[in-house]
Amino acid sequence: MSAQNPAELAKTFEPAGLEAKWYAHWEQNNLFRPERPDAAPYTIVNPPPNVTGSLHIGHALDNTLQDVMIRYERLRGKDALWVVGMDHAGIATQMVVERQMEAKGDKRSNYTREAFIDKVWEWKAESGGTITGQLRRLGCSMDWSREQFTMDPHFTKAVVKVFVELHKQGLIYRDKRLVNWDPKLKTAISDLEVETRETQGGFWHFKYPLADGVTRDDGLDYIEVATTRPETMLADMCVAVHPDDARYKSVIGKEILQPLTGRRFRIVADEHADPELGSGAVKITPGHDFNDFEVGKRAGIKASDMLNMFDAEAKVVQTSDGLVPDEYIGMDRFDARKLVVERMKEAGFLIPHVTKDKEGNEIAADCEPRTIQTPFGDRGGVVIEPWLTDQWYVDAAELSKAPMEAVRSGAIEIVPKTWEKTFFNWMENIQPWCVSRQLWWGHRIPAWYAEDGSIFVAESEDEAQALAGNKPLTRDNDVLDTWFSSALWPFATLGWPEDDNPPRNGEVAARSADGGVAASPENSADADGSRPLRPSGAPPRSGEDRSLLSKHYPNDLLVSGFDILFFWDARMAMQGLHFMKEVPWKKLYLHGLVRAADGAKMSKSKGNVVDPLLLIDKYGADALRFFMCAMESQGRDVKMDERRVEGYRNFATKLWNAARFCQSNGITGSTSVAAPAATSAVNKWIIGEVVETLATLDQAMADLRFDAAANTVYHFVWDQFCDWYIELVKGNFDSETKAVAGWVLDQILVMLHPFMPFVTEELWHALGDREGELIVAAWPAPEAAVDAAAKREVEWLIALVSALRTAKNELGIAPGARLEAYLPDPSEATRAIIDANPAVIERLARLTAIRFEAAPAGAAMQIGAGDANLIVPLEGVIDIAAEKARLEKALAVSQKEAKSLEGRLSNASFVEKAKPEAVEKARADHAMHAAEAERLAAALKRLG
């Protein structure tokens, strides 16, 4: 039932109070997922934010788009499920807890693994999940009753099962490969957790002597190599040259004698070496560079034989061949770099970088200064080290086959389609996926090791023990990559692998068969890091005979930032198709980034980050949401513009004031979904406008054109309804008009609700005693058609009024000045329109009369409307000569400015070298002066 009785609307629209009121009402009354057991399903899973996270502007965009779709489909009568939850965020969460411990003089190593995990759960209970409250402020209508967490017991069970099954199928294996290693956090990290920063470094050139007295064809007894990381030469294993490089053909297969270690290694032919870059020869350290790793493999070096010269803290250790000089052992990698350069220089193997000063004197330096794109860990904040280590890997190449076929066949539709090329390029060149992390917080890898090195993978230690024949076993200390567990999100949140209704209320996890009590919440964390089962009070929903999984998988839509296409979206497709044998979602919508107003990427260091919560405080959630939709154009990033957010708050205010006006004139909400009967042209016209707007809006939503959808509603509300319909019917609120106006206002509230849920819900209840809330109302079904005759009539009147108002403005005539018009020989249709609307023409066009005869001689202006060309005499209205002089003078000024700016903008030097904001201002000024010149020219033409 309605939450309130109709009440007079306040004079001022204040969003804050009504947003808090309505969100609490919706959630408390379970309106985010009402009981609709027989309705068609519609499902979206929310990309689970980190439990440590706070709402940022990217979240605001992503979640607004999802909420628009879920509210739209809910209004269309579907069983709309928006799965919500949080990711346990292994690295981020462990870091937060460890920092808190450090602040108290404590540290992780003071605890057992289980005791530390208990500390993390305590932190989550006290401080985790801030973002869930912030999503509520944005208006996200998620099914909070089934809130999920990736460390919930039922989810952990799914993660373990997937790992074990993939291992049985040979799709998960342990291997020695290079990983992104964070020396501060002492764990492997994903590519997504690596950020590239520009650093000032050097490019050193060295001589690598040929062994055994060999010389090149040019007589040189060395090969020149260059590197930005000289320290890695302590683990060099070959030098690569291009097979077609004539300079080195004679020495391919010969050996180098490395000066510092005395290590001998071959010169190999490999196309990785570019003859056009530097000397064309590349030193290869396969154990510490991703490209070198591949070159090493092609050269026949096994991963197990590749040399490793660093420990977990990136300090130098002895290589397996024992050739690293003792003075380097234990040194930090950057200190080792300095010593390597010093020793190579002392031995005469450093090739100096020579430049000249202003006087032409040569200046020698040890290296060439360079700006280097350097990988940093986004959490640890230190330079990432490619490190050769034993990790667990998923055979991504095999799992990628099904998703690629799904996209090719159309089973998965990627929107915009332009992203397909990027998708295929990555999938076709995919590398093994490293899924192990050296952390305590997370899903512990279900693998146990015997003393002889044998590995036993099972869902429990008892099962592993049975496989091992009761040998002593030690469990793997690593946990799984967070992306591994979140890849199961579309189906594990729906009850897989039990294929039953999953527990409601998130962590209050599994229920017993009778919906009763499970284990005590006071129990410690299990060995896998999850919590034991807890009380639950949520049996399957009434009428829900089908399991959630069978009803809501596959999902209908995934809304995602393009930046996680590979890290999350593609991996969901892999796991969903592999385990469910169906796509995880039918459509994948990829949106862009939210950038600063100047197009720059937002970053804390630049000071251009926008806090969405501050925008909500200032303008309301509805305004921010509408901005996000109106600016979300497929294939483009969103440029943040606070003025437009303010503009959409003004839009909500305009709707509010229109509703107040209607309310004050006895207009109330409609009791009919279908359009009421109408006899007047203006009422037939506005009903037809609803029909056309609805069709355009539905098509835009089907195409996921959020910008088109938002702007369609915006222009109908602002232009057709507020600016024209209300003006046209003012002073004529008969019973038909009241019924039509109330019905149209209802259609506006329903169509606008997905974009602006709060103000529309408030107005819905203020305009009538409703049977239910707007959030679960029926989507418009006008059961009406466009009346062509009424449309022509009203559009003729709008054209007449608009043209007259424009002309008055151009000529400096007061808006309220009453004029006469002449229209000799009008068409029958035009005369009928004029005869039928004398009051409207006088009130809005300010024409005392339209005479069907020739205009008197003298100065006049011409006004077009439909097929009519009306003549409006100006004698005695304005000083024609003075007005012409004024317009000509202003026109000359605007034309001069426009021409000057056009010349500047056509100058390539200005466009390329000037600051971007200066170029943008010049373009804006040119557009303004060109438009003004066009307006003034039109005004002069009117005067003849």
Side-chain angles (χ1 to χ4, degrees), residues 88-102:
H88 63 276
I91 293 176
T93 304
Q94 183 161 319
M95 279 185 64
V96 167
V97 176
E98 288 197 55
R99 283 173 182 165
Q100 284 190 354
M101 296 173 78
E102 288 171 8

Side-chain angles (χ1 to χ4, degrees), residues 305-326:
D305 294 333
M306 292 177 183
L307 299 176
N308 176 45
M309 58 169 283
F310 290 129
D311 64 12
E313 296 179 333
K315 291 182 178 178
V316 178
V317 294
Q318 186 56 265
T319 52
S320 59
D321 61 6
L323 293 177
V324 176
D326 291 342

Side-chain angles (χ1 to χ4, degrees), residues 203 245 247 272-282 370:
F203 196 47
D245 194 331
R247 293 170 294 178
H272 171 65
D274 185 347
E276 303 299 320
L277 289 178
S279 68
V282 184
R370 278 202 178 179

Side-chain angles (χ1 to χ4, degrees), residues 602-609:
M602 290 187 185
S603 71
K604 291 179 181 178
S605 61
K606 291 179 180 177
N608 62 356
V609 173

